Structures are given as C-alpha cells and as structure tokens.
Amino acid sequence: MLAYLARRLALAVLTIWAITVLSFVIIKLPPGDYITSYIAQMSASGGFVSEAEVQALRREYGLDQPGYVQYLRWMTMVLHGRFGVALEWKRPVSEVIGDRLWLTMVVSVAAIVVTWALAMPIGIYSAVRQYSTGDYVATFVGFIGLAVPSFMLALILLYLGFKYFNASIGGLFSDRYAEAPWTLAKVWDLARHLPLPTLILGFAGTAQLVRIMRANLLDELGKPYVVTARARGLSEWRVILKYPVRVALNPFASTIGYLLPYIVSGSIIVSLVLGLPTVGPLLLRALIAQDMFLAGTIVLLLGVLTVVGTFLSDLLLLWIDPRIRLEGKQ
Amino acid sequence: MWWRFRRHKLAMVGSVVVLLFYGVVLFADFFAYAAPTASEAQRSLLPPQPLHWLDGGFRPHVYGFSGRRDPVTLKRVYTPDPAKKIPVRFFARGFEYRLLGLIPADRHLVGVEGAAAEETLFLLGTDEQGRDLWSRLMYGTRTSLTIGLLGVTISLVLGVLLGGVSGFCGGGFDTVIQRVIEILRSIPTIPLWLGLAAALPSSWTVGQVYFAITLIISLIGWTELARVVRGRFLSLREEEFVMAAELAGSSQARIILTHLVPSFSSHIIAATTLALPAMIISETSLSFLGLGLRPPAVSWGVLLQQAQNVQALAISPWLLTPAIPVIVVILAFNFMGDGLRDAADPYGH
C-alpha cells in the first residue's frame, strides 16, 4: 500500500513539474516578451516608459538571462505566490483570478458528484432490467450524451430556455449576489444555480459511466456466486447490491482520474457559453489579449489543482478497493 | 471480419453516414451553390427559405423575399413573397470550380433557373455577413472532417510507433512512455490547447494554422491509440508464432512488420475510428472559442462561433444548424467504431 501511495505521489509531482514547464512555454511562446507587451500597453494608454525603466524591468524579470534561468526565476516567484501582473487589469494576477479558480473547482467537483450519483443507479437499473424500455431509453440518451459536446449542449439548452421560458439560464449567481461578499445567502444562491451547469458538464461522463457500469454488472450477474446468493434466499436487492455491484464499481472509481481533467477542460468552454464566473472566460480573454502571465498562471493552477484532485481520488480508490491496498504486500 | 461487421446493423448505418459525409468532403463544391465567401450586407441574417416541392406537378421552388429595416429595433426583417416563386433545379449551372481540384466544372446539386443561385437561394438562411449557410456548411464539412482525418493519422503514427516500442521492448522505454502518457492524460486539455493555439502568430496563413491546429490536437490524441497498440503487443509477444519466427531467425523489424502488425491491424482500425470523433470535437471546440481556425477558413467550429451568445440565438436560431452535422457524424463514427471493435474482437467484452 505504501509503495502504491509513493508511486502515485511521485507521478503527481512529476506531472506538476511537467505542467509548470508547459505553462512556462505558453508564457514564452508568443513573439516578444512581457516587457514589450508592457510597453505597448503603456503607450496605448498614453503613458511613457523610459529606456532606463525598461532595462530595470528586464533585469527584474531576468529577461536578459537564458531560458532555464528565467524558468527558475519564474518558479521561485510562483512558489512565493507572486504570479506577475495582469496587463489588461493592471492588477496582480492572483487578485484578478480571485474566487474564479475556486468556483471552477466547485463546478467541476459538483459535476463529478452528479455524474456518479446519476450513473450508478441508471447503470444498475439498465443491467438488472436489460432490454426493458428503461434500458433502451438509457442507452439512447447515453448515445446522445457521447455525441453532443458539452458546449453544444449548453448552447442548445440556452436557446430552449430562452425560447420556451424566456429566461436566461446562464450564470452562477443572481444579480444581487454577483459582487456581494460571501455570506450564507450567497452560498445558497450558488447552490441553486449549480444544477444546470453541472448536469451539462456531467452529461457525457455520465453516459460513458452508465455504459461501463452496465457492461460490468452484466458480466458479474451471470457468475455462479450470484446464483448461489440467490439460491440461499437473499432478497433480490441484497443479492445485487451487496456483491456484483461492488465488483462492478471498481473501474468506476479508477476512471475518476481521467474524468476530472476531462470535466475541468469542459468547464472552460461551457463557462464561456453559460457566462459562468469561472476562470474559463478569463483565460480566453487573456489569451486573445496575449496577456501571457495571466494565461500561463491559469493553465498552471488549473493543472495543479486537477492533479491534486486526481491524487485525492486515488486515495479514495485505495480506501474502496482492498485489492490495491494488498498489492504492495505480495 | 467483414461478415461479422455486416451483422452489426447500427454499425452499417454508421458507415453509410460516414461515407456520405466524406462524399461531401470530396465534392463540397458540387453540393454548395454559392462560394463560401460570397457576402452581401443587404441579406444579413436571412432566415431559412422553406423548399416547396409541388406547384401543380413536381416543381420545387422557394419564395422570394423582401427585406427592410425595422425602425424600432434596427434589425432587418424579411417577409417571404409567395407571388415571387423562384424555381429550384437540380444539377444546375452555377459558379465555376474544379472538381477534385482538377476538372473544371460548373454544375451544382441545386441551382436556380434563370438567376444566380448566390443571389436568390438560401436554403438554411444566411449569417451576419449575408453568406449562405448551406454552402458554408458544405465547405465547413470539408475542413472539419479532413482535420479529423489528418489529426488521427498523425496520432496513429505516433501511437503505433511509441505504443509499439513500449510494448515490444518493455523495460525502461516502456516505463518512460507509460509515464508520459499518464502525465498527458492527467492535464486538462482545453486550457493547454488554448494556450498553444493562442501562441500561433497571427501572420500565419490559413494553411499554416490548419496544420498547426492539427498538430496541437494530435499531440494529445495519440495516447489512447498507443495504449491499445501496447496492450496488443504485450499479449501477442507471448504467442507461439512469434517465438517460431524468432527461432527461424527473423529480424525484430520483420517480426513486428510482417507478423505482429497484421494480426492487430483490425484493432487499430477500430481504435482509430473511435478516436476520430474526439479529434473533430477538439477542432470544433477550439474554432468555436476563436482560437482554432480563423476566418476566412470555414469549419463547423468557425460557423458555430456566430451562435455563441443568447442574443444571437434568440434572433437567428438557424445559426445553430452546424451543430446537427457535428452530432450526426460523431454518432456515426461511434457506431461504426463499436461495430469494428466487436468484429475485430468478438470475445473482447
């Protein structure tokens, strides 16, 4: 078990390192550097940057140094919680991102919870009542879920909501809470707005998990131990829930590692369509304005949080599945 | 394998649909009746014209329209004019193009008798710049589907190469490649793609951006294929015929190319088919966000970009039509891929 844990931890650290390098590459990729953008920004707003100031800035950011030194400097900055200045806002990046990062994570994690909560009962039902009307409906909806990208689903729902209810279904807060400080009422407001975006985000994942759950459970249901349990006179629900479902659940837990990056990824684009105050719209604006410090930081933080989330889900898996716990002992 | 595949009805339907779509890719100019860039402010955001089939016998036609600007909302309003019948003809002459890029031609699937189709026929309506949506959809299909195909080819080469090395050589190679795959799969892809795509210089031509986007998409896409190839290699390596070939003195390259690859090519075809929809969705998402292909290139994502907000959707819901081919083609590829997988590996499930 410790060996497993150590392996996962090492991999997580390695992944985080890869993400920092990639984020740095994204920051460095466009022609010019931070200073040229800064100068352009200043002269656009009628300001003036003296040559001495430029030199000082270049030295401060280490832009006259080779790439790896710049990377190390940037990493030190990041580790101290300084992410640079967002050009467009003229405020520190961390301030601009603010709550948005957490809201992104709240939406994504909620989407995973919804995915699980829906996929499990539907999958079990589909397998136990194979070829029933409900099963066909679930399969059909599942195929739609696989085929409709989440942002398209958001667009379609947005249109339907507008046409039939004449209401905008976007956003995460009502107007009066949008800029308000965090209170219990605001949290409640958030909770009321969450279901729709999470459903949209979780739809594709749910469809996939239902299919996995159904196939696994069907395999298990045909096995002799199920017949034995039934012959022993256990009630039907007990027979199904106590044994085969537990076995079928395993791939369920292990796919979460791929589900989280997928959903975080989807949340960026869905947020844009639904106007959610997550990092999605911010990232897009930053990229279009070539505000690379902001963009790189968002990519970095999203990546790191995703890896941490995946690691936590690995711990969860460890707790659920005794086979993994025992792996190290053999 | 073909016989097993034939039995899978949904997969057959899927394949037919996929073939139809690639027919559009090849003959996009024929299916379109207006050049994709032909714009006209006078007919901006024109709603779709319903096609009427009968008029005392089989005479397909659409109604003409007259447009004016609403004085209150400043929005263009169009009223169909049933008295002005525009006869629609099949295989009519239209703008000139080169069939398959070679043969000069000017026939199109539909056209208008006695008038230029660009000026009078708008089966799916027009966009903000007054460009015909149907024709743009045809050209968009060409771009989106070829990007998918090209992207999947690059992924396939990478996947077979790295997955093959990983599975056949094992050891250090295997560990490194597997870790790289795990790392790539645990990073949220869209932010990463966006970052890379945004860094493409804006001075690049449409063609350069096209290839760059394809490359960016396939950089992530190869992991799944590599996993499949590696898995097959691992299980096949232990088979007797491989040992027999080894004992007979075949070189490693010969074993891989003439003995191993043919025995799992069907799996690769299935995995490739299942990877294509993801490629198409990726391109559509990137272009939809405005960081993928840039106008004047036309792709499904570029078309959908106009339907990005509620206001646009409320005024002109037909801008959402490009979503339909996306959904249909993804479903078709999924059905086809499922069928291929079942046919390749009947005991796999």
Side-chain angles (χ1 to χ4, degrees):
Chain A
M1 175 179 164
L2 271 179
Y4 175 81
L5 210 60
R7 211 181 73 85
R8 300 308 301 182
L9 194 62
L11 192 68
V13 171
L14 206 63
T15 312
I16 288 177
W17 173 77
I19 290 170
T20 61
V21 173
L22 281 169
S23 315
F24 186 70
V25 167
I26 287 175
I27 291 177
K28 285 286 148 197
L29 220 44
D33 55 31
Y34 177 72
I35 306 299
T36 37
S37 333
Y38 180 72
I39 294 170
Q41 189 80 21
M42 284 307 281
S43 38
S45 55
F48 173 73
V49 191
S50 73
E51 188 60 28
E53 209 176 329
V54 168
Q55 290 306 326
L57 275 171
R58 265 185 209 286
R59 250 197 314 283
E60 192 194 332
Y61 285 99
L63 293 174
D64 43 0
Q65 310 269 339
Y68 68 96
V69 178
Q70 289 188 31
Y71 169 72
L72 287 178
R73 275 186 177 230
W74 178 70
M75 276 310 293
T76 345
M77 257 172 71
V78 166
L79 286 177
H80 284 102
R82 292 189 291 134
F83 297 104
V85 175
L87 289 176
E88 214 177 330
W89 278 264
K90 298 203 179 62
R91 274 165 41 198
V93 165
S94 47
E95 221 173 276
V96 174
I97 295 178
D99 284 344
R100 285 173 174 261
L101 190 65
W102 301 113
L103 284 173
T104 311
M105 277 333 210
V106 165
V107 171
S108 304
V109 171
I112 288 190
V113 171
V114 167
T115 306
W116 272 54
L118 284 180
M120 216 179 315
I122 296 176
I124 294 175
Y125 178 86
S126 272
V128 175
R129 300 258 184 279
Q130 197 187 6
Y131 302 133
S132 67
T133 320
D135 179 28
Y136 279 122
V137 170
T139 311
F140 177 73
V141 174
F143 271 125
I144 302 283
L146 283 183
V148 185
S150 51
F151 77 92
M152 234 174 247
L153 188 66
L155 270 180
I156 293 168
L157 287 182
L158 206 59
Y159 171 62
L160 292 180
F162 184 85
K163 189 164 178 204
Y164 294 106
F165 303 105
N166 203 11
S168 174
I169 55 168
L172 272 185
F173 299 104
S174 315
D175 289 337
R176 70 197 172 101
Y177 287 113
E179 297 295 326
W182 283 100
T183 55
L184 217 56
K186 186 173 178 179
V187 174
W188 173 239
D189 190 51
L190 173 65
R192 281 199 359 216
H193 281 83
L194 264 182
L196 194 82
T198 47
L199 263 179
I200 291 174
L201 272 175
F203 194 40
T206 309
Q208 218 172 349
L209 277 186
V210 165
R211 281 179 77 182
I212 297 175
M213 185 74 191
R214 180 177 181 272
N216 284 338
L217 194 54
L218 278 177
D219 281 351
E220 290 301 319
L221 284 178
K223 289 195 174 160
Y225 73 87
V226 179
V227 181
T228 312
R230 204 169 276 146
R232 287 266 175 157
L234 283 182
S235 71
E236 189 61 27
W237 278 117
R238 238 181 114 82
V239 170
I240 293 165
L241 288 184
K242 183 111 198 230
Y243 306 105
V245 167
R246 271 176 69 182
V247 180
L249 218 55
N250 178 44
F252 224 72
S254 58
T255 46
I256 194 174
Y258 299 131
L259 201 60
L260 189 62
Y262 177 76
I263 283 184
V264 169
S265 203
S267 82
I268 299 286
I269 183 163
V270 168
S271 298
L272 200 81
V273 175
L274 292 181
L276 308 183
T278 64
V279 288
L282 200 61
L283 175 64
L284 196 72
R285 267 186 75 174
L287 286 172
I288 289 172
Q290 298 258 313
D291 189 347
M292 294 326 265
F293 265 118
L294 183 52
T297 309
I298 292 176
V299 172
L300 174 74
L301 293 178
L302 269 187
V304 169
L305 277 182
T306 308
V307 173
V308 170
T310 312
F311 182 68
L312 290 180
S313 75
D314 275 337
L315 292 184
L316 185 73
L317 186 62
L318 205 62
W319 177 59
I320 292 178
D321 192 340
R323 278 171 297 185
I324 296 177
R325 248 177 302 171
L326 295 175
E327 198 177 89
K329 290 194 182 152
Q330 281 158 6
Chain B
M1 182 179 166
W2 171 239
W3 287 107
R4 280 204 297 267
F5 183 67
R6 283 272 308 262
R7 282 213 305 272
H8 207 302
K9 286 225 178 56
L10 265 177
M12 283 307 285
V13 174
S15 328
V16 170
V17 172
V18 166
L19 279 181
L20 283 178
F21 268 94
Y22 276 99
V24 173
V25 169
L26 283 180
F27 303 109
D29 319 87
F30 169 72
F31 286 99
Y33 50 78
T37 46
S39 67
E40 171 60 73
Q42 285 304 306
R43 43 166 206 261
S44 119
L45 292 180
L46 182 78
Q49 290 169 318
L51 191 59
H52 304 273
W53 293 100
L54 296 176
D55 179 28
F58 180 72
R59 286 204 199 92
H61 62 276
V62 294
Y63 293 145
F65 60 89
S66 51
R68 61 186 180 80
R69 203 166 274 282
D70 189 304
V72 186
T73 57
L74 293 179
K75 169 189 150 189
R76 281 192 78 85
V77 195
Y78 299 93
T79 32
D81 180 4
K84 213 160 74 186
K85 283 178 186 152
I86 299 168
V88 176
R89 293 291 168 264
F90 289 97
F91 304 108
R93 287 179 191 282
F95 71 95
E96 287 177 10
Y97 61 94
R98 282 177 178 276
L99 194 65
L100 301 175
L102 298 170
I103 314 152
D106 63 353
R107 292 277 171 186
H108 296 268
L109 179 65
V110 290
V112 173
E113 204 174 66
E118 292 95 317
E119 305 292 324
T120 42
L121 188 63
F122 307 100
L123 289 176
L124 291 179
T126 62
D127 65 6
E128 210 149 332
Q129 281 93 46
R131 293 173 296 197
D132 178 59
L133 199 57
W134 166 269
S135 303
R136 282 172 69 75
L137 203 53
M138 295 301 123
Y139 285 101
T141 305
R142 171 180 277 177
T143 320
S144 291
L145 288 185
T146 47
I147 264 206
L149 215 55
L150 200 67
V152 106
T153 314
I154 300 175
S155 305
L156 190 67
V157 171
L158 275 173
V160 169
L161 211 70
L162 293 173
V165 167
S166 186
F168 198 80
C169 304
F173 275 122
D174 189 30
T175 318
V176 170
I177 291 172
Q178 289 312 304
R179 290 301 86 77
V180 170
I181 290 180
E182 273 178 59
I183 288 174
L184 278 181
R185 291 189 61 154
S186 54
I187 300 175
T189 45
I190 286 194
L192 193 62
W193 279 332
L194 287 180
L196 293 175
L200 301 180
S202 49
S203 57
W204 279 18
T205 64
V206 171
Q208 281 172 313
V209 173
Y210 179 96
F211 282 109
I213 295 290
T214 317
L215 223 92
I216 289 173
I217 294 171
S218 24
L219 275 184
I220 311 284
W222 63 273
T223 52
E224 184 60 35
L225 284 165
R227 247 168 39 94
V228 174
V229 171
R230 172 176 177 267
R232 295 311 299 170
F233 257 115
L234 284 182
S235 62
L236 282 173
R237 205 170 49 172
E238 311 300 326
E239 295 276 333
E240 276 117 4
F241 71 88
V242 177
M243 198 198 279
E246 249 167 49
L247 291 176
S250 303
S251 69
Q252 293 239 319
R254 192 183 153 80
I255 294 178
I256 293 178
L257 289 178
T258 63
H259 296 292
L260 290 181
V261 171
S263 57
F264 64 73
S265 55
S266 51
H267 287 265
I268 294 185
I269 295 171
T272 311
T273 316
L274 287 171
L276 253 163
M279 296 275 158
I280 293 171
I281 293 184
S282 312
E283 184 278 319
T284 309
S285 313
L286 274 182
S287 305
F288 173 74
L289 288 175
L291 288 168
L293 298 176
R294 303 169 187 148
V298 192
S299 80
W300 288 338
V302 173
L303 291 177
L304 278 171
Q305 215 186 333
Q306 295 213 333
Q308 217 178 50
N309 54 52
V310 193
Q311 289 86 347
L313 280 180
I315 299 170
S316 41
W318 59 89
L319 289 179
L320 207 55
T321 26
I324 297 169
V326 178
I327 295 170
V328 170
V329 88
I330 292 169
L331 266 183
F333 269 121
N334 270 316
F335 286 144
M336 192 174 143
D338 274 351
L340 282 171
R341 193 176 50 194
D342 290 352
D345 187 8
Y347 313 108
H349 296 283

